[in-house]
Amino acid sequence: MKKIPLISSILLAAGLASPISTVMAYEAGDWLIRGRIINVNPNDSSGSLTVNGVDTGSKGVKVDSDTVPELDITYMITRNWGVELILGYSEHTVKGEKSWAGLGNVIDTKVLPPTLTLQYHFLPDSNIRPYIGAGVNYTYFFDEKVPSSSVLSNSGDKVKLESSWGWAAQVGVDIAINQDWFVNMDIKYLDIDTTARFKNTAVGSAKINADIDPFVYGIGIGRRF
């Protein structure tokens, strides 16, 4: 999913927003339920690899992207302020690059990153209403494994990724279809830092720190209740 067109669409929508011919208006107490298709695009970097307690000085992992459905729920505290809970999970493969390139894929994992943001909606009476948000993200990694094709693969090998707390930011826009239904476009940034710990691999135990920090691009449809 390309970044520039989606950002441009949001900015264009914000510029065209007008209170004329309004078909919907947010009110305090409204619930907004959105279903999106999202692309989770890691902006990753890593620290050096430690093997059997010795820092090798080598760096380099890459986390692939994933496109999945997402559900989010917003409660409007006032006509302008809302609280949003973002729910969904994605699956990712971590592979070596740079100094790690010869290792190939080293981790397969599933990621559950519930995120809570406080949003400000600029134009609650308009058909096109942009918003911004900021909040906190908790990321839980599960079903981690060393791929059987990895050079690290070994009988009884294990890998565990530490859970992460971090901040989150978002910008988006709702575009009214009628009184209750609307189209949504949204971009989020999640601060996700973790440590991967390997045991019983072909090289013994190992550890590497990684900053995943994904941009999440979404488009979908929502309904007001």
Side-chain angles (χ1 to χ4, degrees):
M1 184 175 295
K2 294 182 179 180
K3 304 178 184 180
I4 300 302
L6 184 53
I7 295 172
S8 299
S9 297
I10 292 174
L11 295 176
L12 178 61
L16 293 176
S18 168
I20 299 173
S21 302
T22 299
V23 297
M24 64 182 295
Y26 293 157
E27 300 292 344
D30 282 352
W31 290 90
L32 311 177
I33 311 297
R34 301 181 182 90
R36 300 189 186 105
I37 297 297
I38 61 169
N39 177 259
V40 183
N41 197 330
N43 179 36
D44 43 41
S45 62
S46 67
S48 61
L49 171 67
T50 299
V51 176
N52 298 320
V54 178
D55 189 340
T56 66
S58 62
K59 300 181 179 181
V61 293
K62 181 70 177 178
V63 183
D64 69 352
S65 62
D66 194 18
T67 300
V68 294
E70 178 199 72
L71 176 69
D72 72 75
I73 303 168
T74 299
Y75 177 74
M76 298 301 295
I77 304 169
T78 70
R79 301 180 72 245
N80 292 98
W81 291 95
V83 176
E84 180 182 80
L85 177 63
I86 302 163
L87 302 171
Y89 88 95
S90 55
E91 300 183 23
H92 300 274
T93 295
V94 182
K95 64 180 180 180
E97 65 170 7
K98 299 178 182 177
S99 302
W100 270 41
L103 298 182
N105 296 339
V106 293
I107 304 172
D108 287 333
T109 185
K110 296 178 181 177
V111 182
L112 182 67
T115 302
L116 185 68
T117 60
L118 177 65
Q119 297 176 334
Y120 183 78
H121 295 255
F122 292 94
L123 301 167
D125 293 320
S126 174
N127 292 343
I128 301 174
R129 45 193 76 176
Y131 59 85
I132 58 173
V136 63
N137 162 261
Y138 172 74
T139 299
Y140 174 70
F141 300 90
F142 63 104
D143 284 355
E144 308 102 312
K145 62 182 180 180
V146 178
S148 59
S149 60
S150 173
V151 298
L152 296 180
S153 180
N154 190 45
S155 177
D157 59 32
K158 294 182 180 179
V159 60
K160 181 63 181 175
L161 293 164
E162 293 181 355
S163 299
S164 167
W165 286 94
W167 60 276
Q170 70 180 152
V171 58
V173 63
D174 293 328
I175 303 173
I177 299 173
N178 56 33
Q179 284 285 346
D180 295 314
W181 291 91
F182 54 91
V183 173
N184 172 261
M185 292 181 288
D186 183 273
I187 301 173
K188 293 182 287 292
Y189 175 83
L190 305 180
D191 175 36
I192 302 176
D193 304 330
T194 188
T195 298
R197 301 179 186 275
F198 299 83
K199 293 182 179 180
N200 302 321
T201 72
V203 297
S205 62
K207 180 182 76 171
I208 189 168
N209 300 321
D211 299 338
I212 301 174
D213 302 341
F215 285 94
V216 182
Y217 305 96
I219 186 167
I221 193 167
R223 192 182 191 281
R224 180 183 64 162
F225 292 90

